[in-house]
């Protein structure tokens, strides 16, 4: 009897924990081994797509008024690779993926490729007509600087941060997101904008200029006040009067309706507030991240595999497309959140690991197919009728980030 008790109490748990550690290592290894092959294939697809551009320089410029095509974004209805110029909000994700490959493999091949794909994003550092600076520059140059400490990268990042804060509206205490749809909105802020604050927190630490910190905190605080419903779901777009600071409208752009919960918006929110807590230690940001996570994972329309439909209120659920990008952003955020909310860390890890397991088992692209993307079944904009049930570069970027965070946690290494 005593022998049995000993087995149950000490030996079996040890065997199971070793097994689950080995399984976890396997999933991280096998996902990165897949990414190694698939991203090598992606590079050849990118070269082909660029080579098929018109050779005549005038014609090329006409076709691409904004400059050369630099990064892959998705696949179109005919199966062609969609490439974007540096101005597109997604231009930084592919270079970021290459930096994550370098971080995991330590293989110089990936470093050289990452550098090559990062360089063309530099011109964005002075582009003040959009809020997407963090996505574009922090995912590319930010990861590059973190891993190489290249001083030139630092200069690009600082200049980008100064450009981003030119969009700050002091009376409303927000950074304006978009300049389009001027007939609809005066100064719109989208929940996605929380992600761009990471660049400002970085710039504060590097430059000691508290302007960056104050603007980031003000934006996050105003967003917390105005972007959320009582159940902690987030609106997509909130429009501000920049003189009075009053809220003019609460809308959606990529969600099902103004009152619905667009899946990727909830993911940006949980990631954004977790990151803001890391950078400020302000408990209200941690509370907000916890509330949004609970909203997501207690939602009756969240499928059992934890990969959400594109909107939690989409009318035809369960016959609606999924959004894998929302799942990868959320998984990455949950690994970080598990560090700060110790009481619930097991729950967050369980959710994140379930997402990673299910993506790895059921959502990966086929090797040598799908133009080199890693994951299928994301949704860019269902109302806009584009990138519905397609691969997306940002789904892949946050997948690799989540895998790296998972590995660091399991090896008790710091995430940052
Ligand atoms: N930031 C744009 C999007 O999430 O689609």
């Amino acid at each position: 009897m005593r022998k049995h008790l000993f087995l149950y109490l000490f030996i079996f748990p040890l065997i199971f924990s070793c097994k689950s550690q080995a399984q976890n290592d396997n999933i991280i290894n096998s996902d990165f081994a897949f990414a190694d092959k698939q991203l090598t294939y992606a590079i050849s697809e990118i070269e082909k797509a660029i080579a098929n551009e018109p050779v005549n320089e005038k014609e090329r410029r006409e076709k691409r008024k904004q400059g050369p095509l630099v990064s892959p974004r998705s696949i179109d209805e005919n199966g062609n690779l969609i490439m974007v110029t540096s101005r597109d909000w997604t231009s930084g994700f592919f270079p970021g993926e290459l930096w994550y490959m370098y971080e995991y493999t330590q293989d110089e091949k990936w470093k050289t490729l990452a550098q090559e794909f990062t360089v063309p994003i530099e011109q964005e550092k002075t582009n003040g007509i959009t809020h997407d600076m963090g996505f574009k520059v922090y995912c590319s140059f930010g990861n590059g600087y973190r891993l190489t400490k290249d001083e030139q990268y630092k200069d690009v990042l600082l200049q980008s941060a100064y450009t981003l804060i030119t969009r700050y509206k002091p009376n409303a205490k927000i950074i304006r997101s978009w300049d389009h749809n001027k007939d609809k909105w005066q100064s719109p802020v989208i929940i996605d904008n929380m992600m761009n604050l990471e660049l400002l927190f970085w710039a504060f630490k590097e430059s000691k200029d508290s302007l960056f910190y104050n603007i980031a905190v003000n934006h996050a605080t105003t967003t917390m006040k105005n972007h959320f419903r009582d159940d902690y779901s987030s609106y997509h777009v909130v429009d501000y009067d920049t003189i009075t600071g009053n809220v003019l409208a609460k809308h959606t752009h990529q969600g099902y309706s103004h009152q619905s919960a667009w899946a990727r918006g909830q993911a940006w929110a949980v990631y954004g507030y977790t990151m803001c807590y890391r950078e400020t230690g302000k408990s209200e940001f941690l509370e907000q991240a916890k509330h949004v996570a609970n909203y997501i994972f207690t939602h009756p329309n969240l499928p059992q595999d934890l990969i959400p439909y594109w909107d939690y209120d989409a009318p035809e659920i369960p016959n609606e497309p999924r959004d894998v990008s929302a799942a990868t952003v959320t998984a990455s955020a949950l690994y970080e959140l598990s560090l700060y909310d110790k009481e619930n860390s097991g729950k967050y890890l369980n959710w994140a690991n379930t997402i990673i397991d299910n993506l790895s088992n059921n959502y990966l692209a086929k090797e040598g197919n799908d133009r080199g993307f890693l994951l299928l079944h994301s949704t860019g904009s269902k109302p806009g009728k584009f990138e519905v049930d397609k691969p997306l570069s940002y789904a892949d970027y946050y997948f690799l980030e989540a895998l790296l965070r998972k590995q660091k946690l399991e090896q008790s290494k710091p995430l940052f």
Side-chain angles (χ1 to χ4, degrees):
M1 182 63 206
R2 234 195 225 161
K3 198 171 128 204
H4 281 136
L5 199 63
F6 181 75
L7 283 174
Y8 278 111
L9 285 181
F10 298 106
I11 302 299
F12 288 160
L14 200 66
I15 291 169
F16 287 129
S17 87
C18 290
K19 187 159 176 251
S20 78
Q21 180 62 39
Q23 277 169 341
N24 282 336
D25 286 351
N26 279 344
I27 215 160
I28 297 165
N29 281 340
S30 69
D31 283 342
F32 269 99
F34 166 71
D36 198 295
K37 293 200 187 100
Q38 192 67 349
L39 290 174
T40 303
Y41 167 64
I43 302 285
S44 66
E45 289 297 298
I46 290 166
E47 281 164 4
K48 268 196 258 162
I50 291 173
N52 288 338
E53 278 283 287
V55 277
N56 175 313
E57 189 55 29
K58 198 168 154 225
E59 213 182 309
R60 193 203 308 268
R61 282 208 180 284
E62 206 40 50
K63 198 162 166 223
R64 300 272 169 241
K65 283 215 161 70
Q66 299 166 353
L69 299 174
V70 299
S71 297
R73 170 173 166 147
S74 187
I75 296 178
D76 72 16
E77 288 310 317
N78 302 317
N80 298 316
L81 184 61
I82 301 174
M83 292 286 297
V84 295
T85 64
S86 68
R87 280 173 69 165
D88 191 273
W89 79 275
T90 64
S91 64
F93 293 117
F94 189 74
E97 286 178 62
L98 301 176
W99 285 116
Y100 285 147
M101 289 306 296
Y102 173 56
E103 183 172 4
Y104 183 81
T105 62
Q106 291 298 304
D107 184 338
E108 290 292 312
K109 162 192 158 180
W110 291 114
K111 183 181 177 187
T112 306
L113 283 166
Q115 286 167 327
E116 223 173 85
F117 277 83
T118 293
V119 167
I121 315 295
E122 177 170 350
Q123 64 187 26
E124 293 311 302
K125 68 186 181 188
T126 51
N127 177 4
I129 65 166
T130 157
H131 72 132
D132 288 318
M133 198 65 100
F135 285 125
K136 291 189 281 190
V137 179
Y138 200 66
C139 297
S140 54
F141 282 91
N143 278 308
Y145 182 66
R146 183 174 60 83
L147 295 170
T148 66
K149 296 288 172 249
D150 181 329
E151 284 294 308
Q152 273 179 329
Y153 286 11
K154 183 174 160 180
D155 291 346
V156 172
L157 286 157
L158 276 176
Q159 167 118 41
S160 302
Y162 278 112
T163 301
L164 177 56
I165 59 172
T166 60
R167 300 184 65 78
Y168 184 63
K169 307 293 172 197
N171 292 358
K173 292 189 164 50
I174 51 95
I175 298 166
R176 179 180 182 151
S177 292
W178 289 332
D179 291 355
H180 59 71
N181 281 294
K182 287 203 169 91
D183 54 329
K184 238 197 285 186
W185 305 309
Q186 188 191 124
S187 189
V189 173
I190 58 174
I191 188 65
D192 324 28
N193 204 345
M194 288 298 301
M195 303 295 284
N196 293 309
L197 304 183
E198 195 167 7
L199 171 66
L200 300 185
F201 286 121
W202 174 88
F204 163 63
K205 286 182 288 190
E206 289 292 332
S207 69
K208 308 282 177 282
D209 186 342
S210 57
L211 191 60
F212 293 123
Y213 181 91
N214 292 336
I215 288 177
V217 169
N218 284 352
H219 181 94
T221 304
T222 310
T223 299
M224 202 164 76
K225 195 166 92 201
N226 296 324
H227 247 88
F228 292 88
R229 306 182 184 93
D230 290 346
D231 63 2
Y232 294 100
S233 66
S234 169
Y235 287 93
H236 185 195
V237 188
V238 173
D239 187 30
Y240 290 90
D241 181 320
T242 54
I243 307 298
T244 64
N246 290 341
V247 170
L248 300 174
K250 297 188 178 191
H251 282 171
T252 196
H253 189 61
Q254 280 150 273
Y256 168 62
S257 74
H258 293 331
Q259 290 307 326
S260 74
W262 173 53
R264 197 161 51 257
Q266 314 315 305
W268 295 141
V270 70
Y271 191 117
Y273 281 100
T274 303
M275 176 271 296
C276 283
Y277 175 69
R278 177 214 315 156
E279 298 298 340
T280 65
K282 288 182 180 293
S283 59
E284 60 268 35
F285 294 155
L286 177 59
E287 288 307 304
Q288 193 69 10
K290 286 162 60 176
H291 284 309
V292 181
N294 277 323
Y295 171 82
I296 294 172
F297 289 96
T298 56
H299 202 289
N301 286 342
L302 181 67
Q304 232 182 352
D305 69 359
L306 308 188
I307 314 301
Y309 298 101
W310 67 283
D311 191 301
Y312 289 93
D313 303 298
E316 306 294 333
I317 287 172
N319 301 314
E320 292 279 1
R322 304 292 184 98
D323 181 15
V324 159
S325 74
T328 60
V329 171
T330 304
S332 187
L334 291 174
Y335 284 125
E336 181 174 8
L337 187 56
S338 76
L339 290 174
Y340 311 141
D341 178 12
K342 293 279 181 219
E343 204 185 321
N344 294 302
S345 68
K347 192 167 75 175
Y348 301 137
L349 290 175
N350 194 24
W351 288 335
N353 287 334
T354 303
I355 290 173
I356 294 299
D357 285 355
N358 288 328
L359 292 176
S360 307
N361 291 325
N362 302 319
Y363 289 80
L364 289 186
K366 229 165 93 201
E367 202 182 300
N369 279 273
D370 302 295
R371 305 284 171 209
F373 287 94
L374 306 180
L375 290 164
L376 307 175
H377 307 306
S378 286
T379 297
S381 175
K382 181 115 191 292
K385 297 189 175 59
F386 61 85
E387 297 162 350
V388 177
D389 197 17
K390 292 279 184 283
L392 288 169
S393 56
Y394 42 101
D396 293 356
Y397 172 88
Y398 289 103
F399 181 52
L400 295 184
E401 182 181 271
L403 288 167
L404 281 168
R405 288 181 173 190
K406 174 175 165 64
Q407 186 193 42
K408 286 173 190 165
L409 286 178
E410 284 165 4
Q411 295 177 348
S412 302
K413 289 187 180 153
L415 288 200
F416 303 98

